[in-house]
Amino acid sequence: MFKKFLNNLLSNEAEQQKEQVQGANPFHQPFNPHANKANDDNDMPAPGNHHQFDPQTQHGTHYTKEAFDAAANRHYEELLANQDEVLSENEKRNLKREAIKQLYLQWNGHNYDQLIQFEMANSMELTGYATQGFNQVQEEGNPLYEPIHGISLYDYAGIAHATTQGIPEETILKAMGIEKAVWEEVNLLWPERMKEDASFGIMTKYGEYFAIAGEHPKLAGLKPAAAAAPDGNANLEKLKTDRYFYEELCGARTAAYEYGLDGAQWILEHFGINLSDFQSVAMNWMTAQNQQFNSNEIQHYMDYQLQKQKEYAERFAKEQGGNIADDVTF
């Protein structure tokens, strides 16, 4: 269950990367900075392209959020008035988001990478979805985050991490002080809560907790039943610091699954890196990427991963006797 869950988590992160780099907007209209000039004169920030940004909100420090919100609302009303037909509520929300995007670009030097970072930092407000790396989830007071039979979301991530490390379940449960029957119910109910959460906040927070699950106070000292490959630790350290190595193994993993192999098991056997460690590193790379968004850099690494995926696909094809199409003559 955990392996499938972690694989889905990795796949979702990869899809988000593609959407961020390739996304388009159906409501795009040129923003006229002189429209409603009389109202905007007092709010318009000083010109310039070398702005600084608040690390939490990603708003420029050369204006106030209140001034931005007021100007964005006026611009939204202008765009809404110019529509040729009545919009649905969902279309209005999209139009409001477009108004915010247009104003943000105009006030912050038309930096599209900075715009994406702003949208991620404010994704709960703009889209209703949480984004990895921006600590948007508020657990306190939210019943979805209440512990289940005493097992918090952090505990659940810790157990998942320990399980995929190869630590026997009975050892984990003993360390946590829970019975197997209790765990079986917990392991059903936390995923159900994730399905209920339309904001993906639980999933996002789970990913953040999973990245630090090795530090869980009750589980950190447990050891796997079987020792890792001799070079496993060295490869893991390289995975943490070498982005090209990380992208290569992502490509290899994907290619392995395409050829009917267990990609996570293949990585473990050949590089000594288990799925939980791989996922933890993936979360850290994704967080760093979101917080320092650079579309050119992301595209570069995506291209590199695809190149490596193709190379490993050719390798797996040869190991399996070649592709079926290799024997077809046209």
Side-chain angles (χ1 to χ4, degrees):
M1 178 178 180
F2 284 127
K3 181 175 287 188
K4 181 178 179 182
F5 181 64
L6 295 177
N7 286 336
N8 289 340
L9 205 57
L10 280 172
S11 299
N12 289 340
E13 296 291 357
E15 287 302 314
Q16 287 178 11
Q17 285 184 2
K18 294 178 183 178
E19 291 175 4
Q20 287 162 353
V21 174
Q22 301 170 356
N25 198 302
F27 286 104
H28 178 70
Q29 299 179 26
F31 179 25
N32 177 7
H34 302 294
N36 206 10
K37 189 174 187 299
N39 288 331
D40 286 347
D41 275 344
N42 293 331
D43 296 335
M44 187 71 71
N49 293 323
H50 302 289
H51 302 308
Q52 294 184 341
F53 299 91
D54 182 280
Q56 299 299 320
T57 68
Q58 293 299 318
H59 273 296
T61 56
H62 54 292
Y63 59 84
T64 66
K65 183 179 184 300
E66 291 73 19
F68 179 88
D69 290 344
N73 284 330
R74 288 196 296 271
H75 183 47
Y76 164 66
E77 293 297 335
E78 292 164 9
L79 292 181
L80 186 61
N82 290 329
Q83 298 301 307
D84 296 330
E85 56 187 36
V86 177
L87 302 183
S88 67
E89 290 304 312
N90 186 56
E91 289 172 329
K92 288 180 179 179
R93 283 192 294 270
N94 289 337
L95 188 62
K96 178 66 176 291
R97 183 180 175 188
E98 176 64 13
I100 293 172
K101 290 170 64 174
Q102 290 182 359
L103 188 73
Y104 188 85
L105 286 170
Q106 205 258 336
W107 280 24
N108 292 286
H110 297 277
N111 184 331
Y112 285 87
D113 283 353
Q114 179 58 39
L115 169 65
I116 292 176
Q117 199 161 328
F118 164 76
E119 288 196 296
M120 290 191 293
N122 297 277
S123 63
M124 285 290 284
E125 178 182 351
L126 296 174
T127 67
Y129 302 134
T131 300
Q132 177 75 30
F134 288 96
N135 196 29
Q136 299 169 315
V137 177
Q138 298 297 323
E139 297 183 68
E140 187 174 353
N142 188 332
L144 285 177
Y145 292 89
E146 289 295 322
I148 300 174
H149 297 316
I151 301 299
S152 68
L153 184 59
Y154 177 47
D155 294 333
Y156 184 67
I159 295 172
H161 182 274
T163 300
T164 54
Q165 288 275 359
I167 299 172
E169 183 180 273
E170 60 182 31
T171 302
I172 299 170
L173 299 185
K174 182 178 180 180
M176 292 298 300
I178 59 174
E179 300 293 330
K180 183 176 177 61
V182 173
W183 163 244
E184 289 176 347
E185 185 170 356
V186 168
N187 198 25
L188 290 174
L189 294 179
W190 267 120
E192 284 301 314
R193 284 194 185 178
M194 293 181 187
K195 294 178 184 178
E196 294 175 27
D197 183 11
S199 73
F200 300 107
I202 298 179
M203 179 76 75
T204 300
K205 199 65 180 177
Y206 173 89
E208 294 174 3
Y209 283 147
F210 193 90
I212 59 172
E215 305 168 9
H216 193 288
K218 293 184 178 181
L219 303 172
L222 303 183
K223 302 296 181 183
D231 59 347
N233 289 336
N235 285 330
L236 179 58
E237 290 306 310
K238 185 177 181 181
L239 194 74
K240 295 176 181 178
T241 58
D242 187 338
R243 181 66 184 268
Y244 288 101
F245 184 59
Y246 166 71
E247 296 294 346
E248 177 181 346
L249 293 198
C250 285
R253 183 172 170 277
T254 301
Y257 281 119
E258 290 178 348
Y259 277 82
L261 303 173
D262 185 328
Q265 184 63 30
W266 190 91
I267 295 293
L268 177 61
E269 292 173 357
H270 289 78
F271 295 93
I273 302 171
N274 62 49
L275 178 60
S276 61
D277 285 337
F278 194 96
Q279 175 65 11
S280 294
V281 173
M283 288 295 174
N284 289 332
W285 280 120
M286 177 59 63
T287 297
Q289 177 176 280
N290 286 351
Q291 293 174 343
Q292 299 293 329
F293 192 89
N294 184 312
S295 57
N296 290 331
E297 184 177 272
I298 293 172
Q299 188 64 59
H300 171 75
Y301 286 124
M302 287 172 61
D303 291 342
Y304 183 80
Q305 183 183 137
L306 289 173
Q307 173 191 332
K308 289 300 177 181
Q309 180 180 334
K310 181 179 178 181
E311 292 174 6
Y312 278 95
E314 293 172 353
R315 169 180 170 175
F316 296 140
K318 289 180 180 179
E319 291 175 353
Q320 296 182 7
N323 290 312
I324 297 176
D326 292 343
D327 298 327
V328 178
T329 301
F330 295 95

